[in-house]
């Protein structure tokens, strides 16, 4: 759902990790899955609702001790969904005992949820336990926790069942009598139920009256007991008794179906509530596990994040034993992010989008704090755009087509544009010109946009705020160091890189970090030394200040 | 009127039950290489013997059993009439409507006929059985049935009995005249099946370990090697998915063993096939001689070997 909504297109959803978020929040019950289908993100104008939703989730997360939310969810996981059964009774269909069992389990689940959820779940979500209906169906509850169309549903059941059991025993006695007679003639292979074989060298005479021959073979005959008049009379009584049992049982089922039909609305409402609880608990577990906080949701067009985290990336790094560095920035209108390769520029864009995405769905956000306005869409532009023209367009062509489409969209003001290294695949001079023109256009349209680029002086040319990745904090690789394996190089880069975003007025030239990266990745040492001498000669007082700021 | 119980009567199904339980198994799978070899008759006889002996008993099927006719062959199938108290695992759509059964549990496992339910027969009645369709789900259901039953009987074709891998079930091989028009043909198929199901446990040093199924293609690759004398190891006998002739060819070159063996305890025979009949005494004797297993004839209430 979160990966397939009007809020994000497919490319944006993929870039932001919407599928990851959807997986983490996946409901465990069928009711939850149905509720999820009806979910919609909050839109501009629904700020107070979005705030309330996130606050409610956080309240549940705080109330639920470790494991309590999961315990409640386990009840939901086992909760049958009554919709199909209720549709059946509403249509006048007959109900069976498995469906009655499902409804009883559903009502029991609601009671348990209400009991265990009190004090943990918001009052509005506590399910109604429909006690009268439960008490009615619970007459069929067995000691082992199952369901049986018990005599307690209708005293007539006990009467006809007793009669049927007496008739069954009478008929069984008749069959036993017939078998004893057969056994006396044919031997101990004779049995009451099913066929039996007698070798001709054991018995070759005519079949006694108590059996009939099912099959003749050269060496043996297959017999089966044959009911005589007394047995047939007992069988007739048994069949009649069984019919009476069937009639009485159907009467009970019909009465139950009628009652359920009258309560279908209430039952379906509780099923929907169970689905909501499932989604709510999923969000609460998300907030607990990822230390999420309520974003301050405002009517303004802004996105301010303090120590925001891109959870899919944080998780992947943790799996590799690597550290994750939260980022902070303030976006009001447009801003530019620059920095070295592998410095986390795209990750910063994704973090912004991920946090916006969480807030739009009424979730607490993974940050120390956040302040943001709701948008009607989030669009990821640039980067690894997919070719929608079957290879007829180049990377640059694809970017332009996607951008043109985004700029043509209506209601552009209420959206967040995340522009990742736009025009990087064309000539640097023309590419920079396009980026500058794009940012100026976005500024004039009043769009909320965050853009990464390697082009120089874009922010200065457009007058938008400029952030830079802090960059490499220490020497990545000493001259003469053997070239490490890729995984090791990535670990060293991760250890040495300062991924924080800092105001560009305090940042230095990205080229310094690029040289350090090149050294680590095994570029010739003499070449590296030459480049460093060149760089040092061109060092400015501002660059010295930036290093001091980072320290 | 009290139903007599014939206390002094010989009952080979009870003997078979004792043999199966003597192997410390509380689940018994009746497997057969084809249709109409008496699997359901054997399974039902075991259930009834277990109930007569006072055991809490359960029954399920890896295919579909208890319907009037086989949907594929249209031949009549034995009815499954179970005594009160017997547990069953079957698709909810097949649960008898009357007399009502007690629903013990609704499982998540699916069949083509809907989810599986575990139910208890409250009054003797005829049932249709269709258990889970995958090995893992069947294994889960068997373990669930074991919670409430001292004897669990499974009815199923051998090609659907992957659920018995990894369990401690006793296996009873059902064979009969329906397999082939001649006694020799029946014996050949039965011997091949038993040989496959009873490959020994063990991982000889230097043996070739085959992951997954040992198919005809992989058998050909093995036969092209010159180090087969060290042996071949598979996970369990169900991993042997190859014609008997190829298995025999490999076994001539080196031993075939497995990590998880099966526990085959006996065979049963049915001398009457849909188109012809065999001599039941000769059939039982020949199966006993060629497999080394005790052979029970439920139809004649007789046993050979063991």
């Amino acid at each position: 759902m979160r990966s397939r909504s009007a809020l994000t297109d497919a490319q944006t959803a993929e870039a932001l990790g919407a599928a990851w978020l959807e997986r983490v929040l996946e409901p465990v019950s069928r009711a939850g899955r149905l509720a999820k289908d009806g979910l919609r993100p909050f839109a501009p104008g629904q700020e107070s609702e979005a705030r309330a939703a996130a606050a409610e989730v956080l309240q549940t997360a705080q109330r639920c001790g470790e494991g309590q939310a999961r315990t409640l969810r386990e009840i939901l996981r086992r909760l049958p969904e009554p919709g199909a059964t209720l549709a059946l009774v509403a249509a006048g269909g007959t109900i069976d005992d498995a469906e009655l069992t499902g409804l009883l389990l559903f009502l029991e689940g609601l009671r348990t949820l209400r009991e265990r959820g009190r004090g943990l779940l918001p009052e509005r979500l506590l399910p109604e336990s429909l006690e009268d209906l439960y008490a009615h169906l619970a007459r069929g509850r067995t000691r082992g926790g199952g369901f049986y169309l018990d005599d307690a549903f209708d005293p007539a059941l006990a009467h006809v069942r007793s009669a049927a059991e007496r008739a069954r025993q009478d008929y069984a006695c008749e069959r036993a009598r017939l078998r004893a007679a057969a056994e006396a003639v044919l031997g101990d292979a004779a049995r009451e139920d099913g066929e039996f074989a007698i070798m001709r060298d054991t018995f070759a005479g005519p079949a006694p009256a108590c059996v009939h021959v099912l099959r003749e073979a050269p060496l043996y005959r297959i017999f089966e007991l044959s009911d005589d008049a007394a047995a047939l009379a007992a069988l007739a009584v048994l069949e009649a008794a069984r019919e009476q049992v069937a009639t009485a049982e159907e009467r009970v089922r019909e009465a139950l179906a009628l009652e359920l039909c009258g309560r279908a609305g209430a039952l379906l409402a509780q099923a929907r509530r169970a689905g909501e609880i499932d989604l709510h608990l999923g969000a609460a577990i998300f907030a607990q596990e990822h230390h999420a906080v309520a974003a301050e949701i405002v009517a303004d067009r802004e996105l301010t994040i303090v120590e925001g985290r891109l959870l899919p990336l944080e998780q992947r790094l943790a799996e590799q034993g690597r550290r994750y560095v939260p980022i902070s920035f303030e976006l009001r209108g447009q801003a530019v992010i620059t920095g070295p390769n592998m410095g986390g520029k795209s990750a910063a864009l994704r973090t912004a989008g991920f946090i916006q995405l969480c807030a739009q769905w009424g979730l607490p956000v993974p940050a120390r704090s956040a302040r943001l306005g709701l948008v009607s869409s989030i669009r990821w532009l640039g980067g690894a755009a997919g070719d929608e023209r079957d290879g007829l367009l180049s990377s640059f062509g694809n970017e332009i087509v996607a951008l043109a489409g985004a700029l043509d969209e209506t209601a552009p003001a209420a959206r967040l544009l995340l522009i990742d290294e736009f025009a990087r695949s064309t000539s640097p001079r023309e590419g920079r010109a396009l980026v500058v023109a794009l940012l100026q256009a976005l500024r004039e349209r009043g769009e909320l946009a965050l853009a990464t680029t390697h082009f120089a002086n874009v922010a200065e040319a457009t007058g938008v705020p400029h952030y830079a990745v802090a960059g490499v904090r220490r020497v990545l690789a000493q001259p003469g160091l053997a070239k490490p394996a890729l995984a090791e190089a990535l670990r060293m880069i991760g250890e040495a890189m300062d991924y924080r975003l800092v105001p560009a007025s305090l940042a230095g030239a990205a080229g310094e970090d690029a040289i350090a990266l090149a050294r680590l990745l095994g570029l010739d040492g003499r070449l590296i030394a030459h480049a460093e001498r060149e760089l040092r000669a061109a060092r400015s007082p501002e660059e010295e200040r930036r290093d001091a700021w980072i320290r | 009127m009290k139903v007599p119980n014939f206390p002094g009567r010989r009952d080979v199904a009870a003997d078979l039950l004792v043999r199966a339980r003597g192997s410390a198994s509380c689940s018994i799978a009746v497997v057969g290489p084809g249709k109409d070899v008496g699997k359901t008759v054997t399974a039902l006889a075991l259930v009834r013997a277990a109930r007569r002996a006072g055991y809490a008993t359960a029954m399920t099927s890896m295919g579909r059993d208890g319907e009037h006719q086989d949907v594929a062959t249209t031949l009549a199938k034995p009815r499954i009439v179970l005594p009160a108290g017997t547990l069953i695992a079957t698709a909810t759509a097949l649960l008898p409507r009357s007399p009502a059964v007690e629903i013990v549990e609704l499982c998540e496992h699916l069949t083509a006929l809907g989810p599986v339910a575990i139910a208890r027969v409250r009054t003797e009645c005829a049932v249709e059985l269709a258990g889970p369709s995958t090995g893992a789900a069947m294994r889960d259901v068997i373990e669930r049935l074991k919670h409430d039953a001292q004897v669990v009987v499974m009815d199923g074709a051998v090609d659907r009995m992957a659920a018995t891998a990894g369990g401690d079930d006793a296996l009873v091989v059902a064979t009969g005249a329906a397999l082939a028009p001649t006694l020799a043909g029946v014996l050949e198929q039965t011997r091949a099946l038993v040989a496959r199901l009873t490959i020994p446990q063990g991982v000889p040093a230097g043996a070739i370990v085959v992951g997954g199924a040992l198919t005809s293609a992989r058998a050909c690759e093995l036969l092209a090697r010159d180090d087969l004398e060290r042996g071949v190891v598979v996970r369990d006998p169900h991993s042997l998915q190859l014609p008997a002739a190829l298995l025999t060819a490999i076994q001539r070159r080196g031993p075939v063993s497995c990590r998880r063996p099966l526990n085959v305890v006996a065979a049963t025979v049915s001398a009457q096939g849909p188109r012809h009949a065999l001599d039941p005494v000769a059939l039982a004797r020949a199966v006993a001689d060629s497999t080394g297993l005790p052979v029970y004839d439920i139809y004649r209430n007789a046993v050979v070997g063991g």
Side-chain angles (χ1 to χ4, degrees):
Chain A
M1 194 62 215
R2 289 167 185 86
S3 55
R4 297 191 315 275
S5 77
L7 185 65
T8 53
D9 58 20
Q11 190 195 353
T12 308
E14 188 185 343
L16 304 188
W20 181 94
L21 187 62
E22 186 158 6
R23 202 165 50 248
V24 167
L25 296 167
E26 187 63 25
V28 295
S29 66
R30 181 157 161 68
R33 286 188 282 277
L34 289 173
K36 181 182 144 185
D37 288 344
L39 268 187
R40 298 288 177 272
F42 290 106
Q46 294 181 301
E47 287 77 13
S48 59
E49 289 92 330
R51 266 195 300 270
E56 200 174 50
V57 166
L58 277 175
Q59 196 172 38
T60 300
Q62 283 155 8
R63 283 173 173 174
C64 287
E66 194 176 332
Q68 278 177 308
R70 288 191 186 282
T71 304
L72 290 175
R73 261 198 143 187
E74 189 53 28
I75 298 166
L76 286 159
R77 197 185 65 77
R78 295 196 303 264
L79 197 69
E81 209 286 317
T85 301
L86 294 172
L88 185 70
V89 295
T94 52
I95 194 166
D96 64 31
D97 296 356
E99 287 157 340
L100 288 170
T101 307
L103 283 170
L104 177 59
L105 292 173
F106 172 70
L107 289 168
E108 272 184 354
L110 290 184
R111 294 177 93 227
T112 311
L113 268 179
R114 182 170 179 80
E115 190 182 301
R116 299 202 187 163
R118 192 172 282 123
L120 301 176
L121 293 170
E123 197 65 29
R124 72 168 185 92
L125 282 180
L126 278 182
E128 291 170 27
S129 47
L130 305 175
E131 282 300 319
D132 54 334
L133 189 56
Y134 171 74
H136 198 173
L137 275 179
R139 282 183 284 184
R141 202 65 168 131
T142 61
R143 243 180 301 172
F147 176 83
Y148 178 57
L149 208 63
D150 197 80
D151 297 349
F153 282 106
D154 184 349
L157 276 176
H159 175 70
V160 293
R161 280 172 174 166
S162 296
E165 178 55 21
R166 280 195 303 276
R168 190 196 66 77
Q169 287 199 16
D170 288 348
Y171 181 62
C173 284
E174 294 297 334
R175 295 287 287 183
R177 176 178 58 77
L178 292 169
R179 193 188 86 176
E183 198 172 291
V185 180
L186 303 174
D188 63 8
R191 53 190 181 133
E192 299 100 311
D193 54 307
E195 55 200 58
F196 53 92
I198 303 294
M199 299 301 291
R200 289 185 187 276
D201 59 8
T202 304
F203 177 78
C210 55
V211 297
H212 59 271
V213 179
L214 284 178
R215 184 169 173 177
E216 300 271 6
L219 295 171
Y220 63 92
R221 282 181 290 180
I222 302 288
F223 293 101
E224 191 177 52
L225 288 190
S226 189
D227 285 344
D228 58 13
L232 284 173
L235 181 60
V237 173
L238 175 59
E239 291 298 329
R242 281 178 173 163
E243 193 175 327
Q244 286 188 330
V245 171
T247 304
E249 287 177 342
E250 282 308 315
R251 206 164 41 233
V252 171
R253 291 189 187 104
E254 281 166 17
L256 287 171
L258 202 63
E259 186 176 358
L260 289 167
C261 196
R263 305 297 300 279
L267 282 161
L268 285 172
Q270 294 314 305
R272 282 193 295 273
R273 189 169 294 183
E276 281 183 64
I277 296 172
D278 192 355
L279 297 179
H280 180 77
L281 285 169
I285 291 169
F286 167 82
Q288 280 179 334
E289 291 189 344
H290 300 289
H291 310 290
V293 301
E296 185 185 350
I297 297 180
V298 295
D300 300 333
R301 210 171 304 143
E302 71 165 287
L303 175 57
T304 299
I305 294 171
V306 178
E307 293 184 13
R309 287 169 289 130
L310 179 60
L311 295 180
L313 178 60
E314 185 181 43
Q315 188 178 62
R316 270 175 54 201
L317 289 175
E319 285 164 5
Q320 296 168 13
R322 292 168 59 190
R323 74 192 172 94
Y324 177 85
V325 179
I327 60 161
S328 307
F329 64 87
E330 191 176 318
L331 178 66
R332 285 193 174 84
Q334 308 77 39
V336 168
I337 298 175
T338 57
N341 288 321
M342 305 181 75
K345 297 187 300 298
S346 300
L349 283 192
R350 289 188 166 98
T351 307
F354 187 81
I355 285 174
Q356 182 77 38
L357 190 68
C358 290
Q360 296 280 155
W361 287 101
L363 296 168
V365 300
R368 190 146 73 85
S369 69
R371 178 184 160 91
L372 56 92
L374 295 177
V375 296
S376 54
S377 72
I378 308 171
R379 286 285 175 269
W380 179 273
L381 296 165
D387 184 354
E388 295 172 358
R389 302 291 187 278
D390 295 328
L392 296 176
L393 289 174
S394 66
S395 302
F396 176 71
N398 269 309
E399 276 189 301
I400 296 299
V401 169
L403 174 66
L407 293 178
D408 285 346
E409 285 174 12
T410 54
R415 69 177 170 185
L416 171 63
L417 290 176
L418 302 167
I419 305 164
D420 189 27
E421 296 187 26
F422 177 64
R424 67 175 168 184
S425 55
T426 189
S427 73
R429 210 157 62 89
E430 286 184 296
R432 179 183 175 280
L434 279 167
V435 172
V436 168
L438 171 61
L439 280 168
Q440 278 172 344
L442 295 176
R443 191 177 185 187
E444 284 161 18
R445 292 159 65 113
E447 298 248 22
L448 191 61
L450 193 56
T452 62
T453 186
H454 279 289
F455 298 130
N457 303 322
V458 169
E460 290 79 350
T462 54
V464 304
H466 183 185
Y467 289 94
V469 174
V472 179
R473 291 180 297 193
R474 57 184 164 81
V475 176
L476 280 165
Q478 297 297 339
L481 182 74
K483 180 183 171 184
L486 183 59
E488 176 61 9
L490 289 175
R491 190 194 63 75
M492 291 170 73
I493 292 168
E495 287 298 315
M497 188 73 78
D498 186 343
Y499 293 100
R500 288 175 302 158
L501 291 182
V502 298
S505 57
L506 300 171
E512 194 171 12
D513 297 331
I515 291 171
L517 279 170
R519 175 189 290 129
L520 181 67
L521 294 172
L523 201 61
D524 179 73
R526 282 173 301 179
L527 195 154
I528 292 289
H530 189 174
E532 282 176 334
R533 280 197 301 278
E534 288 295 319
L535 191 68
R536 222 174 286 126
R539 201 169 179 82
S540 69
E542 285 76 20
E543 287 164 338
E544 295 294 340
R545 278 211 308 281
R546 169 252 186 180
D547 282 353
W549 190 92
I550 292 169
R551 282 194 295 271
Chain B
M1 197 188 297
K2 184 163 168 42
V3 182
N5 62 3
F6 303 95
R9 181 175 181 261
R10 185 182 64 152
D11 181 1
V12 295
D15 295 347
L16 177 55
L17 178 68
V18 169
R19 180 176 291 279
R21 283 185 58 81
S23 64
S25 304
C26 90
S27 47
I28 306 164
V30 181
V31 302
K35 288 178 178 291
D36 301 310
V37 292
K39 294 187 295 290
T40 303
V41 168
T42 301
L44 199 48
L46 282 167
V47 168
R48 289 188 162 272
R51 291 297 293 156
R52 278 197 298 273
Y55 292 120
T57 307
M59 184 176 179
T60 189
S61 169
M62 272 300 276
R64 183 173 175 182
D65 290 297
E67 72 270 43
H68 294 299
Q69 284 186 333
D70 189 300
V71 285
T73 65
T74 71
L75 291 171
K77 293 190 75 172
R79 284 206 318 154
I80 299 176
V81 179
L82 293 177
T86 311
L87 279 173
I88 56 173
T90 189
T92 51
L94 295 182
L95 287 170
R97 201 162 172 86
S98 186
V101 293
E102 173 189 339
I103 312 279
V104 176
E105 186 178 330
L106 297 173
C107 304
E108 291 173 348
H109 307 303
L110 292 174
T111 70
L113 295 162
V116 172
I118 293 173
R120 180 175 284 109
V121 172
R122 286 290 194 106
T123 303
E124 180 185 88
C125 67
V127 297
E128 286 185 50
L129 299 178
S133 45
T134 69
M138 185 52 131
R139 189 77 250 156
D140 184 54
V141 166
I142 292 166
E143 296 307 318
R144 172 65 193 80
L145 289 171
K146 281 181 177 177
H147 286 150
D148 292 328
Q150 293 158 294
V151 176
V152 178
V153 179
M154 286 170 278
D155 179 0
V158 73
D159 58 352
R160 293 183 178 178
M161 294 309 288
T164 57
D168 62 353
D169 318 293
L171 258 67
V172 174
V173 175
T175 186
L179 287 185
T182 63
L183 176 61
V186 172
L187 284 182
E188 185 185 334
Q189 288 196 43
T190 308
R191 192 168 42 227
L193 172 64
V194 172
R196 177 156 78 86
L197 295 177
T198 55
I199 57 168
Q201 183 177 25
V203 184
I208 302 160
V209 176
V210 176
L214 175 49
T215 58
S216 297
R218 296 183 83 172
C220 292
E221 289 168 18
L222 289 174
L223 287 166
R225 296 174 63 147
D226 56 8
D227 56 352
L228 266 187
E229 74 284 354
R230 290 185 293 180
V232 174
V233 178
V234 294
R235 190 187 57 190
D236 61 62
H238 295 302
S239 307
L240 298 169
Q241 304 284 326
L242 72 172
L246 281 176
L247 177 60
T248 306
I250 293 173
Q251 284 174 318
R252 279 199 203 101
R253 301 261 308 273
V256 175
S257 57
C258 68
R259 290 203 184 92
R260 294 189 300 189
L262 299 174
N263 178 23
V264 180
V265 296
T268 60
V269 289
S270 170
Q272 63 270 18
R275 282 169 293 277
H276 67 284
L278 295 172
D279 177 349
V281 177
L283 174 63
R285 170 56 58 199
V287 170
D289 289 345
S290 65
T291 63
L293 292 170
V295 176
Y296 292 77
D297 186 337
I298 301 295
Y299 298 92
R300 287 194 304 121
N301 198 30
V303 60
V304 176

